[in-house]
Amino acid sequence: MSTPNGEDGILYELEIEVEEELTLTDADNPEQATDVPVADWLFDPADTERERTGLRGLLGAIQALEDDSRPGDQGV
């Protein structure tokens, strides 16, 4: 599998990194965090959900840019 070059390469690499971050945040389980006292939380579950939402939005934007940059995919 080859990676794209130029601007498409940058978008490809960014997409990979965002997907990795999203995988990491999905691995965090905020439901389990609420089972312990607030003082023992390592992170706020609301912050984790906001991060997930932002990463999903960023991933969608990257994919939209990739779709726009592909020649011949212009719909009429």
Side-chain angles (χ1 to χ4, degrees):
M1 179 167 121
S2 63
T3 58
N5 295 326
E7 185 176 317
D8 289 339
I10 293 169
L11 289 175
Y12 177 80
E13 289 177 23
L14 182 58
E15 182 177 15
I16 296 296
E17 288 192 34
V18 171
E19 286 174 343
E20 288 174 356
E21 285 294 321
L22 193 52
T23 299
L24 290 174
T25 59
D26 285 343
D28 292 337
N29 198 348
E31 293 80 25
Q32 288 179 349
T34 57
D35 293 340
V36 296
V38 174
D40 294 337
W41 285 1
L42 298 176
F43 54 88
D44 185 339
D47 289 340
T48 301
E49 189 56 37
R50 279 190 289 274
E51 184 176 359
R52 281 187 190 135
T53 301
L55 287 169
R56 286 187 190 114
L58 181 57
L59 186 58
I62 293 167
Q63 291 169 343
L65 283 172
E66 287 177 331
D67 290 345
D68 287 346
S69 69
R70 291 189 184 124
D73 285 349
Q74 308 297 328
V76 176

